[in-house]
Amino acid sequence: MSVPASTPALEVRGLVKHYPGVKALDGVDLVVRQHEVLGLVGENGAGKSTLLKALVGLVVPDAGEIRVRGEAVKLRSVVDAADHGIGMVFQEQSLVPNLTAAENILLGGEGPGVRRGVYRWDAMRRLAQEQLDKIGSNIDPLVRTDALSFADRQMVEIAKVLRIEQRSQHPPVIVLDEPTSVLESKEIETLFAQIRRLREFASVVFVSHRLDEVLEVCDRVAVLRNGQSVGEVAAAGAVPRELHRMMIGSTGSDDHYHENAAAVVESGQPRLAVRGLSGTSFQDVNLDVAAGEIVAIVGVHGSGREDVCRALFGAEPVTAGEIWMDGKKIDISGTRAACAAGIGYVPAERKTEGMVGPMSVAENMTLAKQRARCAGPFVAPGKQATVVDRWIDRLSIRTPGRDTPIQRLSGGNQQKVVLARWLVGGDIRLLLLDHPTRGLDIGARSEVYRLMRELAASGVATVLLADSLEEAIGMADRILVMNDGRVVSEVGCPAGGKPSPLDLVKEMV
Amino acid sequence: MFAVLSPRFRSIENVQNMVDAAAVLAVVTCGITFVLLMGSIDLSAAGVMGASALTVSLLVANNRNDNDLGLLGIGVAVLLGCAFGCLSGLALVLLKVPSFMATLGVSAVGLGVATLMFAGVQPNISDAMLKGWAIERFLGLSYLTWIAATCVLVGWLLQRYTRLGRYAFAIGGAEEVLALSGVRVKPYKVAVFAVAGAFYGLAGVMVTSQLGAGLVQAGSGYDFSAITAAVVGGTLLTGGRGGVLHSAVGVLLVVVLTNGLVQIGVSPYWQGGVEGLIVVAAVAAAVIPQRRRNQVVK
Ligand SMILES: Nc1ncnc2c1ncn2[C@@H]1O[C@H](COP(=O)(O)OP(=O)(O)OP(=O)(O)O)[C@@H](O)[C@H]1O
Ligand SMILES: [Mg+2]
């Protein structure tokens, strides 16, 4: 059966999915043409992930229709979807870390690699190599997956997803949910090259919150708002502002980083003073942060900046060095002392370190206070509810209510709750932010930036590991560049006198 | 260290003793390793071994009845172990009973079955072959030891070259990913418990050979020792890391240690306690590299 080139690879009509208290999808229409890269954008909780999951059979829609190459289908499982040539690259945690790349690529469809339950390793290797060759990757198929870098793992995932070609004779449709959020800019380039390559023999649906990125790699961009399709634009000639306007239904502000609201930095005794801090992946780090100051640490993967940040919170073993808060030396062998000293930490890996999945939004938000009693006495239940509601409102966290389990929220909204945890206390003195805007939409990001400014103005010192160089430059008063575990330079970054990203990149590599 | 403290520890005889003593434990540990790799735990060894010991001693030539099934009887005992394993696995995947509870229950059932068969009169075996397993030697080691070595080899092949073994690893590594890849994990879980059960069944037969009689308590203590050995060898209780060869090394370490303690004159009453300390220490040592993730244990 041949399909005319004009028939869409995939067509979604009036898709509806209700969850208790939310309409995740409220009549979505979407067309994916053959050999195109379609961008999908929308605010946090707009329904992007839910839509993608419906396309691969992980979510069964309440109403509506999915057509594959003109034919209406019911997708009840990932296997169903694969049979129709639709596959998904998941954002995280979708490879088995202790198996080889080959096994992961072939998982569940080993074919001739396994005969009567017995592995033929040479056949496994060959089959996996074929998949890797398709994307031009030179990863060794027999290496263990947890020994690979993030970017390589993503390549393995793409190679794995391309296995669906074996199941249907038609060009596959590959959907990627926020694939770039955990990648470095260089890795992103590789991924984009890969996506362009995929276009030759497949259709791609791509979700990201970085609109410039979406416009760069996509042919067409569809916009979701509150579970509804609100329009689409051709990527050529479009600008991020236009997309943003469609996403939120009004024009956002241009002063993204609120640069003019930068707090006045007090000179004198620094709020945080770090002397000669060394650990397994960093050496001799010195760092001063004054009250009201935002200091960004930049560096590539493996520069050790994440570990320094964790060490400041006592969550990473150090071999030498001292940490002083307001002139008082603090014990850094555990997180309790850090909490007691008024240090707050927003981890990057919110799934594993930042939240307790089955607990409610309210409980997750007030966890820090209850656990370590970092900040004074308990909040009375009634008062706590109002405080939580106020932060839900301020960060526009999309949730049916404060009692909803946090795991039901969309990725970006979970991140907002984790962030709010350190803000509800109100007596934080130093905030360590490890990629605080990862996975947040523009509106929420802007709100986080504004909050950071407000906190700085009230005297909070901030250490920021930014998601991008632009973010670091936009927000920071001062930038430290780390390379290979050492601080290699320090760049002043006042409003009006910002360095260019290129200057920083030179120092980083 | 023990060699310094006691000259007897070094003797050839003692080495042979140690290796022979390791045989049964090695077989049990092989089975339990697969379950641990999945991140589950199996406490059914003692009960399953008891049931298998009684079964085999009543099926081969013995003083209680006229049966003389020989190898077939041994096969039945192993299959019985397998069936008990299935039971644990089914309780886990169908009734969603946590593995430690399901296997504890199965262990009790096994002991119950064994007690029923025991019926107050100890069956002494007279089957020459089975008795010979413990006595006859080949290249200086008893047949039981060779059986154990074969089991380790089979276990290693299972783990390295079969889907069952690889999926046991994968289930311990990231179970949800298997589901996302369209793999149905439940049959594999049941199969892993069944394989483990078969190993326990064989171990029960081996103990019967050593004792020359079928005892309800044939497997008592082996469940804990096997977990100790597996963990000492480097198989993680959280699943996904380690393996049969690791466990085999663990078995040798545990046996050497126990034997050493006896040789230097430590009272056997202390040994249980020492073993307990070892397992906690080994688990603690194994998780130190992961400590930085601030992970919580349950
Ligand atoms: N399993 C679930 N149970 C209840 N509600 C859910 C569930 N999954 C998603 N939702 C809700 O559906 C809405 C859409 O969520 P979805 O994850 O699709 O958003 P998204 O567009 O991917 O957002 P983000 O950019 O933050 O990832 C959200 O309001 C979310 O709370
Ligand atoms: Mg999402």
Side-chain angles (χ1 to χ4, degrees):
Chain A
M1 181 187 78
S2 84
V3 180
S6 58
T7 316
L10 195 70
E11 205 176 345
V12 172
R13 288 273 160 256
L15 217 58
V16 175
K17 178 70 192 178
H18 289 247
Y19 285 115
V22 254
K23 282 184 180 172
L25 299 178
D26 191 11
V28 171
D29 299 324
L30 189 78
V31 172
V32 185
R33 300 191 190 124
Q34 295 180 34
H35 304 292
E36 91 166 336
V37 180
L38 174 71
L40 188 61
V41 300
E43 291 187 272
N44 293 129
K48 304 177 295 294
S49 298
T50 309
L51 175 58
L52 296 194
K53 283 183 192 155
L55 294 182
V56 291
L58 283 174
V59 160
V60 178
D62 300 334
E65 179 175 74
I66 298 174
R67 292 173 162 272
V68 180
R69 286 172 294 272
E71 190 191 331
V73 294
K74 287 254 175 294
L75 306 171
R76 305 229 163 268
S77 69
V78 212
V79 181
D80 265 2
D83 285 335
H84 286 101
I86 309 169
M88 178 155 172
V89 173
F90 297 90
Q91 186 185 328
E92 44 198 52
Q93 291 275 315
S94 51
L95 294 176
V96 185
N98 56 345
L99 295 188
T100 59
E103 284 172 286
N104 268 300
I105 291 173
L106 305 175
L107 197 63
E110 291 90 349
V114 179
R115 228 175 286 153
R116 295 218 181 99
V118 177
Y119 272 53
R120 314 268 146 143
W121 280 103
D122 45 342
M124 292 284 286
R125 180 194 190 110
R126 187 172 43 73
L127 289 170
Q129 192 66 57
E130 276 170 24
Q131 292 308 117
L132 288 166
D133 286 346
K134 272 186 202 163
I135 58 170
S137 162
N138 54 4
I139 299 167
D140 173 8
L142 293 188
V143 75
R144 264 176 66 132
T145 316
D146 51 10
L148 295 171
S149 71
F150 252 136
D152 278 348
R153 273 184 241 177
Q154 209 158 41
M155 292 302 133
V156 172
E157 291 222 32
I158 295 176
K160 171 179 173 176
V161 136
L162 288 176
R163 281 287 286 177
I164 59 174
E165 279 187 301
Q166 254 87 20
R167 289 171 171 264
S168 93
Q169 304 83 345
H170 302 288
V173 179
I174 311 288
V175 304
L176 304 121
D177 196 0
E178 297 192 38
T180 54
S181 64
V182 291
L183 296 185
E184 309 265 327
S185 57
K186 213 149 121 219
E187 300 167 336
I188 292 177
E189 278 313 308
T190 326
L191 177 72
F192 283 1
Q194 211 50 257
I195 290 178
R196 293 194 184 100
R197 215 174 152 132
L198 284 178
R199 175 162 49 193
E200 303 297 314
F201 59 94
S203 306
V204 178
V205 182
F206 174 84
V207 173
S208 169
H209 284 296
R210 304 186 190 152
L211 301 181
D212 44 347
E213 197 175 275
V214 173
L215 290 174
E216 181 191 337
V217 75
C218 298
D219 302 311
R220 209 156 51 89
V221 184
V223 184
L224 283 190
R225 191 194 322 150
N226 293 331
Q228 293 177 325
S229 317
V230 291
E232 58 170 66
V233 292
V239 287
R241 276 195 68 146
E242 189 183 337
L243 282 183
H244 188 210
R245 191 185 46 74
M246 289 171 78
M247 280 166 60
I248 61 171
S250 62
T251 337
S253 143
D254 246 359
D255 180 17
H256 210 50
Y257 299 113
H258 313 281
E259 282 173 26
N260 298 327
V264 187
V265 178
E266 298 163 29
S267 50
Q269 188 183 56
R271 169 61 46 89
L272 170 77
V274 179
R275 292 290 169 264
L277 199 68
S278 298
T280 42
S281 56
F282 50 89
Q283 290 85 39
D284 195 23
V285 172
N286 295 310
L287 168 68
D288 280 338
V289 186
E293 191 179 28
I294 299 176
V295 173
I297 308 180
V298 300
V300 295
H301 229 59
S303 62
R305 59 181 184 142
E306 278 88 2
D307 294 332
V308 169
C309 191
R310 295 174 57 83
L312 294 181
F313 192 58
E316 174 83 21
V318 296
T319 51
E322 292 173 353
I323 297 178
W324 302 72
M325 281 286 285
D326 288 323
K328 242 176 66 191
K329 191 172 161 189
I330 61 167
D331 167 33
I332 40 177
S333 56
T335 57
R336 273 190 74 90
C339 277
I343 301 178
Y345 171 59
V346 177
E349 293 191 26
R350 60 172 175 268
K351 279 245 167 60
T352 53
E353 298 184 352
M355 59 185 232
V356 185
M359 278 169 63
S360 73
V361 167
E363 284 167 312
N364 268 287
M365 220 184 260
T366 49
L367 207 55
K369 300 191 61 135
Q370 289 172 1
R371 190 193 58 212
R373 259 173 293 161
C374 294
F378 292 94
V379 182
K383 199 172 152 211
Q384 169 173 329
T386 26
V387 170
V388 169
D389 283 345
R390 201 172 68 227
W391 282 102
I392 290 178
D393 193 45
R394 267 190 86 173
L395 295 178
S396 37
I397 299 172
R398 194 165 306 208
T399 166
R402 68 180 104 87
D403 297 323
T404 308
I406 191 172
Q407 62 196 8
R408 299 246 189 96
L409 269 51
S410 80
N413 285 304
Q414 292 171 352
Q415 181 77 332
K416 292 185 199 173
V417 174
V418 174
L419 192 63
R421 174 179 317 153
W422 296 108
L423 307 179
V424 289
D427 44 10
I428 217 82
R429 292 194 288 164
L430 169 70
L431 204 49
L432 307 169
L433 302 171
D434 189 352
H435 297 91
T437 58
R438 175 174 288 175
L440 293 193
D441 64 40
I442 302 188
R445 240 184 285 167
S446 189
E447 184 63 21
V448 169
Y449 297 146
R450 206 173 51 71
L451 267 169
M452 284 169 65
R453 293 287 183 218
E454 257 174 43
L455 288 166
S458 71
V460 173
T462 307
V463 174
L464 169 71
L465 305 187
D467 228 19
S468 63
L469 275 184
E470 288 70 27
E471 182 176 297
I473 294 168
M475 287 308 297
D477 300 307
R478 202 147 48 81
I479 297 183
L480 297 191
V481 184
M482 277 190 74
N483 191 349
D484 212 12
R486 289 176 187 282
V487 177
V488 290
S489 77
E490 187 178 321
V491 184
C493 198
K498 300 277 184 188
S500 85
L502 270 179
D503 298 339
L504 290 175
V505 170
K506 265 185 240 149
E507 309 269 359
M508 282 162 60
V509 289
Chain B
M1 177 181 79
F2 294 122
V4 177
L5 292 174
S6 153
R8 262 203 298 156
F9 184 85
R10 278 176 297 187
S11 68
I12 295 274
E13 225 169 292
N14 191 41
V15 170
Q16 281 178 347
N17 277 342
M18 278 197 286
V19 177
D20 285 350
V24 176
L25 183 57
V27 173
V28 181
T29 310
C30 255
I32 231 165
T33 299
F34 284 96
V35 177
L36 295 183
L37 279 180
M38 291 198 305
S40 298
I41 200 150
D42 193 342
L43 303 176
S44 69
V48 174
M49 284 170 74
S52 133
L54 262 296
T55 307
V56 76
S57 56
L58 290 174
L59 289 179
V60 300
N62 67 85
N63 65 344
R64 282 255 312 263
N65 55 33
D66 298 331
N67 288 340
D68 186 8
L69 296 180
L71 263 186
L72 186 62
I74 295 173
V76 170
V78 173
L79 279 184
L80 181 78
C82 195
F84 274 117
C86 268
L87 208 61
S88 305
L90 290 174
L92 172 72
V93 303
L94 296 184
L95 307 178
K96 309 245 184 294
V97 183
S99 60
F100 89 92
M101 206 55 229
T103 53
L104 207 54
V106 164
S107 186
V109 172
L111 286 178
V113 169
T115 312
L116 279 179
M117 287 195 280
F118 189 78
V121 186
Q122 172 172 320
N124 293 319
I125 59 168
S126 46
D127 185 288
M129 177 193 60
L130 189 54
K131 283 185 109 165
W133 278 11
I135 301 161
E136 279 167 47
R137 289 176 181 268
F138 176 66
L139 298 179
L141 297 174
S142 71
Y143 282 12
L144 286 183
T145 307
W146 289 107
I147 292 176
T150 314
C151 280
V152 171
L153 180 69
V154 167
W156 180 74
L157 290 174
L158 273 177
Q159 169 201 317
R160 183 90 179 79
Y161 287 101
T162 68
R163 178 139 39 186
L164 183 68
R166 299 306 296 172
Y167 279 8
F169 261 98
I171 290 171
E175 189 174 340
E176 41 327 318
V177 176
L178 287 173
L180 284 181
S181 309
V183 176
R184 289 175 41 221
V185 287
K186 288 180 182 173
Y188 289 100
K189 284 193 166 178
V190 177
V192 164
F193 275 97
V195 166
F199 277 105
Y200 308 152
L202 181 60
V205 172
M206 292 165 72
V207 174
T208 309
S209 159
Q210 283 177 338
L211 301 176
L215 292 187
V216 176
Q217 304 83 0
S220 103
Y222 277 110
D223 40 8
F224 188 64
S225 299
I227 294 175
T228 310
V231 170
V232 167
T235 299
L236 288 186
L237 287 181
T238 42
R241 227 183 69 190
V244 172
L245 294 186
H246 288 80
S247 296
V249 173
V251 167
L252 290 179
L253 284 175
V254 167
V255 170
V256 166
L257 197 77
T258 331
N259 181 283
L261 290 178
V262 174
Q263 298 290 340
I264 60 172
V266 174
S267 142
Y269 298 121
W270 280 92
Q271 282 170 28
V274 170
E275 206 174 288
L277 289 180
I278 295 174
V279 75
V280 173
V283 171
V287 298
I288 282 173
Q290 298 170 336
R291 197 66 72 56
R292 47 161 280 169
R293 283 268 149 238
N294 256 343
Q295 74 173 14
V296 186
V297 289
K298 293 192 188 117

